[in-house]
Every structure is written in C-alpha cells, then in structure tokens.
Amino acid sequence: MKARKTLLAAILVLALAFVACTIPAWVNTVEADAEIAMPIAASLIDVIDPALAPLVSLIEGGFNALVKTLDTYKASPTATNLQEVQSAFDAVNSNVAQLESSAQIKNPATKTTVTQVVQLLTQAVTEIAALVPASASSNLKLQIPNSGSRIPKGWKARDFKKQFNSIVKDDPRFKPLK
C-alpha cells in the first residue's frame, strides 16, 4: 500500500512538472509566423526606394529579435521574458506601420505588389498581437495602434507563405518562399 502511494505521488509530481514546464501553444505559432515574416520583409529591399531600405532592415531584424525573445521565453517562461517578447513585438509593429505609411512608389505595378507585401506583414503583426498575452497575469491581448480594419484571420506561417507566393508570382524580382 505504501509503495502504491509513493508511486502515485511520484507520477503526480512528474505530471505537474510536465504541465508547469509546457510552453504555451501561442509561443510556437508566433515564432513560426515571425520566422516566415523575416524573408517576406527582406524581399522588399530590392524593389523599394533605397531610402527605405534601412527601415525594411529594421523590420527584418525586428522579426529576428522577436524570434530570439520567444526562444528565451520558451527556455524560461517568466514575466520578464514575456515583457521582452512584448517589447520586440512593439518595435516590429511600429516599424511595419511606418513602412506602410512611407512606401511611396511611382511604378503602379511595383506599388501594387509592394503594398500587398506590406499589408501581408501588417497582417502578420495582427496575427501575432492576437496571440501574445499583454502580461503574464492577464488574458488581455496586445493592442495594435491604428489597426483600422485589421482583424486576426487565424493565419499561420503556411498561410503567409502561400499568400506571399501568390502576390509575387508574376514579379521576377521576388523569390518565392519554399
């Protein structure tokens, strides 16, 4: 009887430890979305006004920083590391919004393609905001300033890849994502 209680207690402790150490599902989803957004952002550098290249590089770097903070959060899901994820997200959000308002291209075909790609990045930010909790102790979601009609569509990385490839399929300056 005592061995049975000890075994049951050990199983319970292991189960609790497993549940406590389990990474929330949103972390992997956000990480995959951010990882696919990096090459999408990078694809703009060759087709936009060279003056905007530093901003595009900031966006690409921001998504990279977001992935790194998510890795840190996965290794140690603390409130401080969640704040780092939120800060990285805020930087990406701000830079994408700035690019959306700054991308002034004269060639109509290029403008259409670039606008669609930037809108795709904006949708990635919207999807991420819908998943990242605002704080460790609440269920509030991040708010996207000036999001207008942007609402989460439940898109995942594969949806962004498919949409990007559809947008750029007739433009040889862009490489499709595999």
Side-chain angles (χ1 to χ4, degrees):
M1 181 79 160
K2 187 174 183 176
R4 183 183 274 172
K5 285 184 180 180
T6 303
L7 180 62
L8 184 58
I11 291 172
L12 182 60
V13 167
L14 287 174
L16 287 173
F18 178 75
V19 170
C21 294
T22 301
I23 302 302
W26 67 263
V27 174
N28 292 327
T29 302
V30 168
E31 187 171 38
D33 290 352
E35 285 174 343
I36 200 68
M38 282 188 289
I40 291 172
S43 72
L44 292 171
I45 288 183
D46 293 333
V47 296
I48 62 165
D49 177 353
L52 293 175
L55 181 56
V56 172
S57 293
L58 276 175
I59 293 168
E60 181 186 12
F63 278 115
N64 187 36
L66 181 57
V67 169
K68 287 180 181 177
T69 61
L70 287 164
D71 286 342
T72 301
Y73 182 78
K74 285 193 317 191
S76 178
T78 65
T80 301
N81 288 338
L82 179 59
Q83 287 175 339
E84 292 297 320
V85 170
Q86 293 163 346
S87 294
F89 168 80
D90 289 341
V92 169
N93 182 33
S94 173
N95 290 331
V96 169
Q98 186 178 353
L99 179 62
E100 194 168 24
S101 66
S102 302
Q104 298 181 8
I105 299 167
K106 303 205 182 329
N107 178 308
T110 300
K111 181 177 182 170
T112 299
T113 301
V114 169
T115 299
Q116 290 176 339
V117 170
V118 171
Q119 289 172 348
L120 187 61
L121 289 171
T122 302
Q123 188 64 41
V125 168
T126 301
E127 298 298 334
I128 290 169
L131 295 170
V132 177
S135 73
S137 62
S138 76
N139 290 327
L140 297 174
K141 299 294 181 194
L142 294 175
Q143 298 300 311
I144 305 172
N146 303 320
S147 64
S149 63
R150 294 282 176 200
I151 56 170
K153 298 177 181 178
W155 284 8
K156 305 283 188 252
R158 69 180 177 278
D159 300 310
F160 289 108
K161 186 184 337 181
K162 181 179 176 184
Q163 188 67 27
F164 176 77
N165 289 340
S166 174
I167 291 168
V168 303
K169 71 179 178 207
D170 295 326
D171 193 329
R173 296 171 296 177
F174 290 91
K175 293 178 184 170
L177 298 174
K178 305 224 183 247

